[in-house]
């Protein structure tokens, strides 16, 4: 090996091994490796260690070792990750794809075992549980029983996968949220191979908040399921060499300011600086002062501020966290020794690293805040929330408002079923302590418990109509809340443990009462949810709740007590207690009170005992799931699991490049269309194409479950693509009052008929007419939902044309063989007068594709005129060109595996 002299001895307390030395590589190449950002160095180590002269060449090693802060980014990095992490919504369709690939391998005369994950894969079941029951001691038990009843077929499929694949493991339901389980249990710091060569942990995960693990110095980010499959099957994860934005934190947080306030401020700040697609790395004394849970909270929301990662280097606090969460002495020793040997131990000063750009944030300037009501980056100071809501209430929808008459803001409306009961705009109907962002952070959970304790002692209660829930990210949380005596106070306010999973933050809040839904829809009320989550996009939390605010767990409790967003918590009483008005200051805990109890959360034995049960005692419900055996899956008749169609008519020779002539617009969308809008998510409407399909297959409405739980069935998912009740297709004329039409319909051309997008897509496919989608800025923002791309592909869409893309969704489109194209300069749907009445040709790809080349969109208008527009092809790297030419990443990988087997 060219770089064999970089392999050095690693001295450990109880063992010995080797490692590939980055300082030695720097000497060999004359590169200032010690000034590279730590995140770049970890990627460089992977490139060095996996250098084979084929997939990873000398040029890759040298290019990255000589990374320059302000260079133009044209080179791609083949990054081989140590492992892959899945959540169940994305994991099930991924498992289905790999099961289908085994079938193809067998049909082509090969052993099915040819298709096998080449790195460890862990699937954590955390997305399936819903808040059907709440506010009672038995809520957790009842919700889990319903979860298993709804998802038995999916769980049987997972159990098949566990026995079929050697490197595929499952963390069963009821243990926690994937990212917290990863942080507390799955991540082991550094690993060693069969030759005792040590290397740092790294991974990709099929959830955008995989970045939470960046808080302990692990390079990782979220990818779509199709990219994750390629990584599992031995493909490097290809990325453009990134810019690295340094964020120097100074000072310290003021009393009463939480890690949630910090991360919402960071999200707002970094969105404004446009860090989309870049690495963000934190440095400075303020960073060093943060606890690991606080760092993980900031790292978690990297998707919300748009970065690929929000990275924190390894230091003494990382070591303390590993000890406190029950890692072994050998693992702690290896973590310290490895990073010290690589000269990467400790939080660097800003002056010690060459960053593309250095930003500075003074922690003392951060104040209590929330974010919303529709996007996580829209920061609102707590002191301004009431006035902001009042302002947004009557602001036009085009400016982010709700377009309501201001006179109706405080008007009471009768609530059926309760004599004299009323409901108002701004009333809080869901209050949830939920989400990986905050439930992994003991300081904010203990603060929530203290708020509850003080409130109960002062005689406050939560209105029972508010759907309150506590969904910890791991069972360790329940243990320390119980040991501190705080859980009982949360329970007295209705915050009983209802689930161990993502719940409200991903749209699994469950439904409201019939009476509440009826009042909201009849009077078009703008009611609210308050949650300690990271996502509040339209229709995500609940289709009838339009104002959703992200806040710290203690603020969730406080607002639940207040019962309305129209309360100024700083100046108005939260409620009337036993002895009169109670204000926020009366129940807010001091930093000293919180810190005195945090030690309960760092009990190594508690973590070891809890996670030992993953294999030894996963629970009776899981034990009762009987998975089928065999190397090849025999696809049953199921509305949950179906053989995916992506390998239909598979051959070893890729099909010719598709021609896009005479295309029609399937939809035209504005800015900030998220994967929540595109991908099937949340409840399945009875009258929707997916609901009608289920009824045709004898599934009744109470058993519909959610789109997420049915992600293993493409018939459901393609019918739910672009079916969000809040998506706004600009092809449909506005309503009489000027409000944009909402819902998953389109106008079929040339008939002019309005119909569901799925129905129109099937008509176009039947008629042999290609289709395109138009969008605005930040198209595809949101969770790493591979079905946003898979559904687009199955609807027959050949190209998506927007002003800008979110990173993961753009790559997923390429991975499914859909062209991502981008307007240039000031060009847009509006400026070009695109209405959907036109026909469209796309040319310029006939003679071969180059990354980021120009292509031509020809717009044929109804009056017979035409216009040529130059677009940027957002196939960004050479490997993406190959993926597209093969019809997607999965056919590409499968053809390579079969070709290698044929030549062996």
């Amino acid at each position: 090996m060219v770089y064999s002299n970089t392999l050095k001895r690693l001295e450990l307390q109880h063992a010995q091994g080797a490692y590939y030395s980055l300082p030695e590589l720097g000497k060999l190449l004359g590169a200032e490796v010690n000034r590279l950002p730590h995140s770049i160095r970890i990627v460089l180590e992977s490139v060095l260690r996996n250098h084979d002269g084929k997939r990873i060449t000398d040029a890759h090693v040298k290019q990255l070792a000589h990374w320059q802060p302000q260079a133009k980014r044209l080179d791609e990095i083949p990054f081989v990750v140590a492992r892959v992490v899945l959540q169940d919504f994305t994991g099930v369709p991924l498992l289905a794809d790999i099961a289908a690939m085994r079938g193809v391998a067998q049909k082509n005369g090969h052993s099915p075992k040819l298709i096998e994950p080449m790195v460890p894969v862990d699937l954590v079941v955390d997305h399936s549980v819903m808040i059907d029951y709440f506010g009672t001691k038995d809520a957790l038990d009842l919700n889990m029983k319903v979860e298993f009843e709804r998802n038995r077929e999916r769980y049987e499929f997972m159990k098949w996968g566990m026995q079929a694949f050697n490197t595929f493991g499952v963390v069963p339901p009821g243990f926690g949220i994937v990212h917290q389980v990863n942080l507390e249990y799955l991540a082991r710091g550094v690993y060693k191979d069969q030759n005792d060569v040590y290397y740092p942990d790294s991974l990709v995960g099929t959830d955008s908040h995989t970045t939470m693990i960046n808080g302990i110095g692990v390079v990782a980010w979220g990818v779509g399921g199709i990219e994750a499959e390629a990584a599992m099957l031995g493909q490097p994860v290809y990325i453009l060499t990134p810019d690295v934005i340094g964020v120097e934190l100074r000072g310290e947080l003021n009393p009463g300011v939480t890690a949630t306030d910090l991360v919402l401020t960071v999200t707002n700040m970094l969105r404004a600086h446009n860090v989309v697609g870049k690495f963000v790395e934190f440095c400075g004394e303020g960073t060093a002062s943060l606890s690991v849970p606080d760092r993980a909270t900031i790292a978690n929301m990297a998707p919300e501020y748009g970065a690929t990662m929000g990275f924190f280097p390894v230091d003494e606090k990382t070591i303390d966290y590993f000890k406190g969460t029950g890692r072994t002495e050998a693992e702690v020793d290896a973590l310290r020794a490895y990073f010290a040997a690589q000269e990467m131990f400790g939080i660097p000063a800003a002056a010690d690293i060459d960053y593309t750009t250095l930003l500075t944030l003074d922690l003392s300037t951060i104040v209590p805040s929330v974010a919303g009501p529709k996007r996580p980056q829209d920061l609102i100071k707590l002191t301004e929330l009431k006035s902001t809501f009042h302002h947004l209430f009557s602001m036009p929808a085009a400016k982010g408002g709700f377009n309501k008459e201001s006179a109706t803001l405080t008007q009471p409306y009768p609530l059926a079923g309760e004599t004299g009961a009323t409901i108002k705009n701004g009333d809080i109907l869901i209050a949830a302590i939920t989400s990986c962002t905050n439930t992994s952070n003991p300081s904010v959970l203990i603060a929530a418990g203290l708020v509850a304790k003080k409130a109960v002692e002062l005689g406050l209660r939560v209105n029972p109509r508010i759907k309150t829930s506590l969904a910890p990210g791991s069972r360790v949380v329940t243990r320390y809340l119980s040991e501190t005596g705080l859980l009982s106070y949360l329970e007295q306010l209705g915050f009983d443990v209802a689930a161990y999973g993502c719940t409200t933050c991903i749209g699994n809040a469950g439904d409201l009462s019939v009476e509440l839904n009826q009042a909201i829809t009849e009077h078009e009320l703008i009611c609210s949810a308050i949650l300690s989550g990271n996502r509040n996009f339209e229709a995500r939390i609940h289709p009838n709740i339009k104002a959703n605010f992200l806040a710290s767990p203690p603020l969730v409790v406080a607002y639940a007590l207040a019962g309305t967003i129209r309360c100024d918590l700083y100046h108005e009483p939260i409620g009337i207690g036993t002895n009169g008005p109670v204000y926020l200051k009366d129940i807010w805990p001091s930093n000293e009170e919180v810190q005195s109890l945090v030690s309960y959360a760092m009990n190594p034995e508690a973590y070891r005992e809890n996670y030992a049960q993953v294999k030894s005692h996963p629970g009776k419900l899981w034990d009762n799931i009987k998975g089928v055996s065999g190397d090849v899956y025999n696809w049953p008749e199921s509305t949950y699991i179906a053989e995916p169609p992506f390998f239909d008519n598979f051959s070893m020779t890729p099909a010719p490049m598709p021609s896009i002539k005479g295309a029609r617009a399937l939809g035209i969308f504005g800015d900030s269309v998220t994967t929540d809008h595109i991908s099937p998510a949340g409840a399945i409407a009875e009258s929707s194409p997916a609901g009608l399909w289920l009824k045709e297959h004898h599934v009744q409405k109470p058993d519909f479950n959610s789109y997420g739980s049915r992600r293993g069935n493409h018939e459901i998912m393609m019918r739910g693509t672009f079916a969000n009740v809040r998506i706004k297709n600009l092809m449909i004329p506005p309503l009489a009052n000027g409000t944009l039409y909402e819902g998953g319909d389109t106008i079929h051309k040339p008939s002019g008929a309005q119909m569901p997008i799925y129905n129109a897509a099937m008509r176009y496919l039947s008629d042999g007419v290609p289709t395109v989608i138009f969008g605005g800025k930040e198209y595809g923002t949101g969770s790493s939902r591979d079905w946003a791309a898979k559904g687009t592909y199955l609807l027959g869409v050949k190209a998506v044309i927007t002003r800008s893309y979110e990173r993961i969704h753009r790559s997923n489109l390429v991975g499914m063989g859909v062209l991502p194209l981008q307007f240039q300069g000031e060009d847009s749907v509006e400026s070009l007068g695109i209405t959907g009445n036109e026909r469209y040709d796309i040319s310029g790809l006939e003679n071969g594709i180059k990354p980021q080349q120009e292509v031509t969109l020809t717009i044929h208008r109804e009056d017979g005129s035409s216009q040529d527009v130059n677009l940027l092809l957002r196939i960004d790297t050479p490997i993406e060109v190959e993926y597209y030419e093969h019809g997607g990443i999965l056919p590409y990988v499968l053809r390579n595996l079969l070709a290698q087997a044929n030549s062996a």
Side-chain angles (χ1 to χ4, degrees):
M1 178 183 174
V2 176
Y3 301 107
S4 58
N5 56 346
T6 63
L7 189 63
K8 299 296 180 182
R9 187 183 186 87
L10 182 65
E11 296 293 342
L12 304 165
Q13 290 184 12
H14 307 292
Q16 60 183 21
Y19 73 105
Y20 283 96
S21 170
L22 296 178
E24 193 65 31
L25 178 68
K27 294 176 185 176
L28 182 67
L29 297 180
E32 291 188 287
V33 170
N34 65 323
R35 292 200 61 83
L36 293 179
H38 286 212
S39 51
I40 291 291
R41 289 190 232 178
I42 291 174
V43 178
L44 175 59
E45 187 280 340
S46 173
V47 173
L48 172 63
R49 176 168 40 86
N50 291 285
H51 170 267
D52 58 6
K54 298 176 183 177
R55 293 181 311 168
I56 302 176
T57 65
D58 287 350
H60 290 127
V61 177
K62 292 174 181 176
Q63 171 261 319
L64 193 55
H66 289 282
W67 180 90
Q68 295 297 314
Q70 277 81 35
K72 188 173 182 181
R73 307 302 181 199
L74 299 174
D75 299 307
E76 63 180 0
I77 304 170
F79 181 37
V80 178
V81 295
R83 57 193 179 95
V84 173
V85 169
L86 317 174
Q87 42 96 327
D88 57 307
F89 273 12
T90 48
V92 166
L94 184 151
L95 184 60
D97 288 347
I98 293 187
M101 292 171 79
R102 277 201 163 181
V104 174
Q106 187 177 59
K107 290 175 184 176
N108 279 266
H110 297 286
S111 166
K113 298 290 280 184
L114 176 67
I115 309 299
E116 181 78 35
M118 297 177 68
V119 296
V121 180
D122 292 289
L123 186 154
V124 181
V125 185
D126 69 339
H127 275 50
S128 296
V129 66
M130 299 180 73
I131 308 297
D132 292 293
Y133 298 92
F134 66 99
T136 62
K137 284 276 191 179
D138 57 357
L140 173 64
D141 182 55
L142 292 171
N143 285 329
M144 285 195 66
K145 285 178 179 176
V146 173
E147 173 191 359
F148 273 81
E149 289 169 5
R150 287 173 174 155
N151 296 283
R152 176 169 294 275
E153 293 174 47
R154 300 171 65 240
Y155 295 168
E156 289 172 348
F157 184 48
M158 291 178 198
K159 279 207 165 179
W160 169 80
M162 291 173 70
Q163 63 81 41
F165 298 101
N166 296 329
T167 53
F168 179 82
V170 175
V171 178
F175 277 92
I177 300 175
V178 56
H179 309 305
Q180 187 163 346
V181 172
N182 194 17
L183 193 71
E184 295 176 351
Y185 168 59
L186 297 177
R188 312 315 296 183
V190 295
Y191 297 86
K192 64 177 179 179
D193 64 18
Q194 65 272 20
N195 297 315
D196 290 335
V197 173
Y198 285 79
Y199 57 95
D201 189 9
S202 63
L203 64 129
V204 289
T206 57
D207 188 284
S208 52
H209 295 105
T210 298
T211 54
M212 187 170 192
I213 205 68
N214 302 158
I216 56 171
V218 175
V219 165
W221 54 83
V223 297
I226 45 187
E227 285 182 275
E229 285 175 73
M232 288 167 55
L233 296 171
Q235 285 291 305
V237 177
Y238 290 90
I239 58 169
L240 278 178
T241 306
D243 289 340
V244 182
I245 309 301
V247 178
E248 181 185 18
L249 299 181
R250 298 177 180 175
E252 59 184 25
L253 296 174
N254 288 317
V257 176
T258 67
T260 313
D261 303 318
L262 169 57
V263 72
L264 293 179
T265 303
V266 167
T267 299
N268 176 264
M269 166 186 161
L270 292 180
R271 267 289 171 188
H273 281 89
N274 189 23
V275 298
V276 173
K278 302 174 184 178
F279 286 8
V280 168
E281 185 167 306
F282 293 86
C283 59
E285 293 182 1
T287 298
S289 73
L290 295 178
S291 69
V292 164
D294 286 358
R295 298 175 189 181
T297 296
I298 297 171
N300 177 281
M301 285 188 74
E304 279 66 50
Y305 45 85
T308 302
M309 288 198 302
F311 185 82
F312 291 81
V314 172
D315 69 347
E316 202 64 51
K317 289 195 174 178
T318 319
I319 298 294
D320 291 342
Y321 183 80
F322 265 61
K323 291 177 179 177
T325 49
R327 268 68 169 206
T328 66
E329 286 186 23
E331 288 170 330
V332 173
D333 175 37
L335 180 65
R336 183 194 296 275
Y338 180 85
F339 279 89
Q342 293 284 28
E343 299 178 9
M344 291 169 57
F345 190 84
I347 303 294
D352 294 338
I353 304 293
D354 294 328
Y355 295 113
T356 303
T357 303
L358 181 66
L359 307 175
T360 301
L361 175 62
D362 186 343
L363 298 179
S364 67
T365 63
I366 295 170
V367 297
S369 305
V370 301
K374 299 177 183 179
R375 301 190 306 175
Q377 65 263 40
D378 294 334
L379 187 72
I380 306 170
K381 293 179 181 178
L382 188 59
T383 53
E384 300 172 359
L385 179 54
K386 178 181 178 180
S387 60
T388 299
F389 179 76
H390 287 193
H391 182 59
L392 289 171
F393 186 75
S394 56
M395 183 183 289
K399 295 184 178 180
F402 297 108
N403 199 33
K404 300 294 180 182
E405 293 290 335
S406 57
T408 65
L409 176 60
T410 58
Q411 181 178 333
Y413 296 89
L415 190 62
E418 295 182 52
T419 303
T422 61
I423 184 173
K424 298 179 181 179
N425 289 293
D427 280 3
I428 291 170
L429 300 181
I430 290 178
I433 300 174
T434 179
S435 166
C436 48
T437 306
N438 287 290
T439 62
S440 62
N441 194 318
S443 65
V444 291
L445 288 169
I446 287 170
L450 289 168
V451 167
K453 179 177 185 292
K454 293 171 185 281
V456 168
E457 290 171 345
L458 290 171
L460 296 183
R461 289 294 184 270
V462 174
N463 188 320
R465 81 163 58 140
I466 298 177
K467 192 166 192 176
T468 47
S469 61
L470 169 59
S474 85
R475 300 192 300 198
V476 175
V477 173
T478 304
R479 178 165 173 165
Y480 69 70
L481 286 176
S482 297
E483 290 175 349
T484 56
L486 298 176
L487 185 60
S488 65
Y489 293 103
L490 286 162
E491 290 170 342
Q492 290 178 65
L493 297 182
F495 289 96
D496 299 76
V497 174
Y500 293 103
C502 293
T503 66
T504 305
C505 194
I506 60 155
N508 282 0
D511 208 355
L512 301 173
S513 70
V514 173
E515 294 78 14
L516 287 172
N517 279 325
Q518 180 181 334
I520 294 170
T521 54
E522 182 180 343
H523 303 292
E524 298 184 350
L525 300 178
I526 308 299
C527 292
S528 299
I530 187 89
L531 64 148
S532 63
N534 47 51
R535 293 279 163 84
N536 55 348
F537 301 127
E538 291 179 290
R540 183 183 181 94
I541 308 306
H542 188 280
N544 287 337
I545 297 182
K546 297 185 178 181
N548 301 289
F549 295 93
L550 309 180
S552 66
L555 279 179
V556 169
V557 177
Y559 270 107
L561 291 163
T564 178
I565 289 296
R566 303 184 323 276
C567 177
D568 180 352
L569 294 191
Y570 267 77
H571 302 103
E572 299 172 8
I574 287 176
I576 306 300
T578 306
N579 298 314
V582 177
Y583 292 83
L584 183 63
K585 62 182 177 60
D586 299 325
I587 60 174
W588 199 260
S590 68
N591 283 15
E592 291 73 23
E593 288 176 291
V594 173
Q595 291 306 313
S596 69
L597 300 176
V598 166
S599 60
Y600 283 89
M602 290 288 105
N603 178 350
E605 193 56 37
Y607 289 90
R608 283 192 285 265
E609 288 177 3
N610 177 56
Y611 288 112
Q613 296 178 49
V614 169
K615 294 181 179 177
S616 64
H617 297 95
K620 291 183 180 179
L621 290 171
W622 184 252
D623 288 339
N624 289 336
I625 298 291
K626 306 302 179 186
V628 296
S629 59
D631 292 336
V632 177
Y633 192 66
N634 294 316
W635 302 93
E637 288 293 326
S638 169
T639 58
Y640 278 95
I641 306 294
E643 184 172 10
F646 307 122
F647 304 103
D648 290 353
N649 305 314
F650 176 85
S651 72
M652 291 297 291
T653 303
M657 292 294 292
S659 175
I660 305 176
K661 302 289 185 183
R664 290 289 190 179
L666 191 59
I668 299 176
F669 305 106
D671 295 341
S672 298
V673 169
T674 72
T675 48
D676 280 31
H677 290 111
I678 306 166
S679 179
I684 301 173
E686 195 168 6
S687 60
S688 69
L692 294 173
W693 187 90
L694 284 170
K695 289 167 72 174
E696 288 170 7
H697 288 76
H698 313 296
V699 179
Q700 300 306 308
K701 179 66 172 73
D703 300 319
F704 275 12
N705 211 331
S706 66
Y707 278 113
S709 66
R710 293 186 179 274
R711 283 180 124 174
N713 190 316
H714 62 278
E715 296 286 359
I716 298 291
M717 300 305 283
M718 63 191 291
R719 285 167 170 80
T721 304
F722 296 107
N724 186 289
V725 296
R726 295 286 172 256
I727 197 168
K728 301 176 179 69
N729 185 354
L730 302 179
M731 290 175 65
I732 300 178
L735 304 179
N737 64 0
T739 303
L740 292 178
Y741 178 88
E742 292 184 329
D745 280 4
T746 192
I747 303 295
H748 175 266
K749 295 293 179 179
S751 70
Q754 182 173 328
M755 63 184 67
I757 284 179
Y758 168 79
N759 293 3
M762 294 305 101
R763 284 187 63 173
Y764 286 130
L765 281 172
S766 177
D767 294 341
V769 176
T771 53
V772 298
I773 292 286
F774 288 99
K777 296 178 181 177
E778 297 181 343
Y779 184 84
T781 300
S783 302
S784 54
R785 291 188 166 161
D786 51 335
W787 269 108
K790 286 182 174 180
T792 300
Y793 164 78
L794 290 177
L795 292 179
V797 174
K798 300 301 181 184
V800 177
I801 307 169
T802 75
R803 295 199 70 187
S804 65
Y805 289 92
E806 190 275 340
R807 176 183 62 86
I808 298 174
H809 186 59
R810 182 207 62 80
S811 65
N812 279 351
L813 289 172
V814 178
M816 288 310 302
V818 178
L819 278 174
L821 303 172
Q822 189 167 312
F823 290 115
Q824 300 190 87
E826 297 302 314
D827 285 349
S828 67
V829 166
E830 295 79 11
S831 71
L832 296 169
I834 294 171
T835 64
N837 295 324
E838 308 86 359
R839 283 185 174 270
Y840 315 95
D841 301 337
I842 296 172
S843 57
L845 303 175
E846 301 81 7
N847 299 319
I849 300 175
K850 294 182 180 178
Q852 296 198 345
Q853 71 176 69
E854 283 196 343
V855 300
T856 301
L857 170 70
T858 302
I859 304 169
H860 299 283
R861 305 189 190 278
E862 289 182 297
D863 63 5
S865 65
S866 63
Q867 180 182 3
D868 288 343
V869 180
N870 289 332
L871 304 175
L872 178 67
L873 174 66
R874 288 302 313 277
I875 294 179
D876 288 351
T877 65
I879 191 65
E880 287 186 341
V881 172
E882 292 195 59
Y883 292 160
Y884 181 76
E885 290 175 341
H886 277 261
I889 191 171
L890 299 184
Y892 169 85
V893 171
L894 184 55
R895 288 190 182 101
N896 279 347
L897 287 172
L898 296 180
Q900 291 168 14
N902 288 333
S903 63

